[in-house]
Amino acid sequence: MIDFIERPIDRQAAAFFCRGAKDDCGALRAVVSLLSQAVGQGHVCLDLEEIAGQLAWIPGRDEPLLLPDAASLIAVLRSLPTLGRPGEHRPLILDDAGRLYLYRYFRYEAMLAESIRARAASQTEGPDDAALAEQLDRYFAPSENSGEDRQRQAALTALRRHFSVISGGPGTGKTTTVVRILGLMLEQPGGERLRIAMAAPTGKAAARLASSIAALRESLPCADEVKRAVPGQVTTIHRLLGTLPASTGFRHNERNPLPCDAVIVDEASMVDLPLMTSLVAALPPQARLILIGDRDQLASVEAGAVLGDICRAAESPGSSIAGCVTVLDRNYRFGDGSGIAALSRAVNAGDDREALRLLADADSAAIALEATPTRETMKKRLAASVLEGFRPFLEAETPAEALRLFDRFRILTALREGPWGATGMNHAAESLLHGTALIHLDSQFYRGRPVLVTENDYIHKLFNGDTGIILPDPDNGHLRAFFAAPDGTVRAIPPEFLPKHETAFAMTVHKSQGSEFDRVLMVLPPEDSILLTRELIYTGITRARQSVMVWSDEAVFGGAVKRRTERRSGLRERLVNG
């Protein structure tokens, strides 16, 4: 049975694309509506083999509709004047593998695959092997631990190829590797003239990378002039490309390329297909592209799972990008006996029994599982965590101290709405804190309110994902929204100037990507849902540096660990087969 949740836009799309069809049957409209629904759910295409022969409950019908087999579906679709084959410019495209696309998504996928294959096949000019080996030995001193030095391999790949990927979980040294790559690039002949741009999908992720670079570059084993040349500015991808008012396009594109010799993108798992395609299209032909991210994290909110597709394609021997991806698997943050590390490995493996066993281990102080509270017991159960987690930042003496202490604890949710979602958790936290006089809910912008920016504001230099706190200005007592700047300072703006935002005592796991906290409380709803997946659990767990408490029933947690996020696309196959 197909989960058919038809939205008004899906209905309108089906009516529009099916105009003029010779066979205006229900199956035709259902398939096109399902395609529109799939794109809305983050898929790039609709696989006809998967829906063929399935029952679909369609709004307005008394009985479910039985869809025909794949061959018959294709024959029905061929009657549409709006349907084309690859290479044709039609609103709908059906490829030879039976994947149905909206034209623009087919074009994105084809353009991105072609560009990545071309860059992967292109080698850079550099020093001879002996000279490069000496430099790598200096930056990556031979380890006493046996085994392959994957950080060194990642650096070598980034230096030799025009396209490379460095993937790994939190604590595996991705940022350290990137900073060393920057030093190595600048040491190459002509490196002083290199134009290097660094970007991330959100302002929060950009600020974290900039802060890490500032902290790490002084430790590089190179001359002081090289250290000073390491770029410290990190921007959002949208700002790098140059947004245009009232347009989905960018100032920089294939006709107006970026003035860059190398582009490094952090948190690449969050970048959707349209944005990644726009970025790659705006790169000069000889520019390096280095993607950094965690292939096991949640995919982008919008269509596609680009980083995951690239990493899977690289695993195919003989593929055009084999050798371009390095996966860092040694964890420098968590020791061998770390509960968080062991739990994340079990979740990634889909081993629900091992994950639950680890959570039940009374000897592990870093991870624990408790049943999800009912609506009636929620506030009582939440009280201790909220007061212990948020009291320190609310009693801080300076905005800088408050911002630092606020990142010690966060409530993460699988859902946005409802009593177990971010909205419900924020209301409960506010009520508890108000009841103890730590905050006073006397206005929208009350003292101590944490805010999460949800849209980019280039005028005030605030970006989606930035987190701030409403506090009195130490100079005049007026309430201001304080944010940490990339250079380590704190800046303030009147709260009335804030772009679209929401309260941030609790946030969804999706919104937490690119962030880290000392302690995490992750709340799952009491009933299973297709939204609860292995990738969501892994992402939530790995936001914690020290400890994570999971509120979930065992059956719900186990079901989520066994369920993988599946994003339908043809990118992996295009990268493998051309």
Side-chain angles (χ1 to χ4, degrees):
M1 180 72 72
I2 297 174
D3 186 18
F4 197 111
I5 309 174
E6 190 178 53
R7 304 166 300 170
I9 192 173
D10 304 328
R11 238 182 349 263
Q12 292 298 322
F16 177 79
F17 290 127
C18 292
R19 287 185 306 174
K22 297 177 182 178
D23 185 0
D24 191 20
C25 65
L28 187 62
R29 289 177 175 264
V31 169
V32 178
S33 181
L34 281 170
L35 170 61
S36 175
Q37 175 184 306
V39 171
Q41 293 173 342
H43 302 286
V44 178
C45 59
L46 183 68
D47 190 331
L48 297 184
E49 286 286 352
E50 289 189 359
I51 66 170
Q54 297 284 322
L55 286 171
W57 281 102
I58 300 177
R61 289 179 61 97
D62 295 331
E63 297 181 354
L65 173 68
L66 178 64
L67 297 175
D69 58 66
S72 300
L73 277 178
I74 290 173
V76 170
L77 285 165
R78 293 290 182 206
S79 70
L80 281 175
T82 53
L83 185 81
R85 298 177 184 273
E88 297 180 341
H89 194 168
R90 299 285 182 85
L92 300 173
I93 299 294
L94 181 64
D95 71 8
D96 294 337
R99 293 183 290 249
L100 183 64
Y101 293 82
L102 296 174
Y103 173 78
R104 70 186 184 105
Y105 287 97
F106 177 83
R107 182 171 175 270
Y108 289 144
E109 189 175 272
M111 288 175 60
L112 182 59
E114 181 181 1
S115 180
I116 288 177
R117 288 198 309 269
R119 290 180 186 279
S122 177
Q123 299 286 321
T124 62
E125 295 182 4
D128 58 40
D129 291 343
L132 187 54
E134 182 278 326
Q135 290 176 321
L136 289 168
D137 285 343
R138 183 158 36 91
Y139 278 83
F140 301 92
S143 172
E144 295 180 0
N145 298 320
S146 60
E148 179 185 10
D149 188 341
R150 296 198 177 184
Q151 290 189 8
R152 178 190 177 109
Q153 179 58 47
L156 178 60
T157 303
L159 290 169
R160 288 295 196 200
R161 293 178 179 260
H162 281 96
F163 174 75
S164 62
V165 176
I166 303 172
S167 179
T172 54
K174 296 189 299 295
T175 304
T176 299
T177 305
V178 168
V179 176
R180 292 176 181 175
I181 289 171
L182 289 169
L184 283 162
M185 289 170 60
L186 292 167
E187 282 194 354
Q188 305 311 305
E192 69 279 1
R193 297 189 301 273
L194 276 180
R195 299 167 298 174
I196 303 171
M198 293 183 293
T202 67
K204 178 76 170 181
R208 282 190 61 230
L209 179 58
S211 176
S212 297
I213 292 171
L216 291 169
R217 62 181 161 193
E218 288 304 315
S219 64
L220 290 176
C222 59
D224 288 343
E225 58 265 26
V226 175
K227 295 177 184 179
R228 288 193 295 268
V230 171
Q233 183 177 2
V234 186
T235 186
T236 64
I237 300 174
H238 285 85
R239 190 167 193 180
L240 176 68
L241 293 175
T243 54
L244 297 173
S247 172
T248 58
F250 296 97
R251 183 165 58 88
H252 289 291
N253 50 43
E254 59 271 21
R255 294 179 300 277
N256 180 30
L258 289 162
C260 300
D261 301 301
V263 173
I264 298 173
V265 179
D266 196 20
E267 296 291 350
S269 64
M270 300 169 64
V271 184
D272 57 55
L273 175 64
L275 184 57
M276 187 68 81
T277 304
S278 296
L279 174 64
V280 172
L283 291 177
Q286 296 305 309
R288 284 191 186 97
L289 175 62
I290 304 172
L291 303 181
I292 318 296
D294 187 346
R295 64 179 181 176
D296 297 315
Q297 273 193 188
L298 282 165
S300 56
V301 176
E302 303 299 331
V306 175
L307 185 68
D309 284 342
I310 292 172
C311 291
R312 284 190 290 272
E315 294 171 353
S316 300
S319 76
S320 60
I321 64 169
C324 290
V325 176
T326 306
V327 179
L328 307 181
D329 57 2
R330 180 182 175 189
N331 201 297
Y332 297 88
R333 178 181 304 163
F334 304 119
D336 293 337
S338 165
I340 294 175
L343 181 59
S344 65
R345 286 194 296 269
V347 170
N348 265 340
D351 190 341
D352 58 312
R353 291 186 178 182
E354 175 64 7
L356 288 168
R357 185 195 70 76
L358 290 166
L359 286 166
D361 185 355
D363 293 333
S364 176
I367 57 174
L369 175 71
E370 294 182 0
T372 301
T374 63
R375 291 172 184 249
E376 293 74 23
T377 61
M378 176 67 73
K379 281 182 62 175
K380 182 178 180 180
R381 284 275 305 280
L382 198 59
S385 296
V386 164
L387 295 179
E388 180 185 353
F390 296 129
R391 181 188 294 274
F393 97 83
L394 291 169
E395 294 180 343
E397 295 183 358
T398 66
E401 183 185 12
L403 287 165
R404 179 178 58 82
L405 293 174
F406 181 55
D407 274 350
R408 285 187 176 180
F409 173 70
R410 198 74 88 252
I411 303 169
L412 303 183
T413 66
L415 308 178
R416 176 174 174 77
E417 304 296 338
W420 298 280
T423 301
M425 287 291 152
N426 275 312
H427 287 160
E430 285 181 321
S431 177
L432 286 164
L433 294 169
H434 178 77
T436 56
L438 285 169
I439 63 173
H440 298 282
L441 302 175
D442 48 8
S443 68
Q444 176 187 359
F445 299 115
Y446 57 83
R447 181 193 179 281
R449 182 191 175 197
V451 291
L452 176 69
V453 175
T454 57
E455 68 177 14
N456 295 333
D457 180 350
Y458 294 99
I459 295 176
H460 296 101
K461 297 182 180 180
L462 292 173
F463 305 100
N464 184 19
D466 285 353
T467 304
I469 304 174
I470 307 296
L471 292 168
D473 190 319
D475 294 330
N476 55 35
H478 296 158
L479 287 178
R480 295 288 185 265
F482 288 89
F483 293 85
D487 61 2
T489 61
V490 174
R491 63 193 188 89
I493 67 167
E496 295 80 10
F497 291 174
L498 282 172
K500 189 176 179 182
H501 61 278
E502 55 195 39
T503 303
F505 291 111
M507 61 199 304
T508 64
V509 174
H510 273 93
K511 293 282 189 182
S512 75
Q513 291 185 89
S515 300
E516 292 179 354
F517 314 102
D518 290 347
R519 297 184 297 111
V520 162
L521 169 61
M522 183 165 65
V523 181
L524 304 187
E527 296 181 354
D528 197 12
S529 165
I530 60 172
L531 298 176
L532 305 182
T533 65
R534 181 183 311 174
E535 291 79 7
L536 182 138
I537 301 297
Y538 169 81
T539 303
I541 289 168
T542 55
R543 297 312 90 200
R545 300 186 190 97
Q546 298 176 5
S547 67
V548 58
M549 166 68 74
V550 181
W551 281 0
S552 174
D553 295 334
E554 289 190 5
V556 171
F557 183 86
V561 170
K562 290 187 288 187
R563 182 183 297 114
R564 296 208 64 167
T565 299
E566 296 290 344
R567 287 284 178 91
R568 303 291 179 264
S569 85
L571 181 60
R572 184 184 70 82
E573 288 81 357
R574 296 185 200 285
L575 290 172
V576 171
N577 303 319

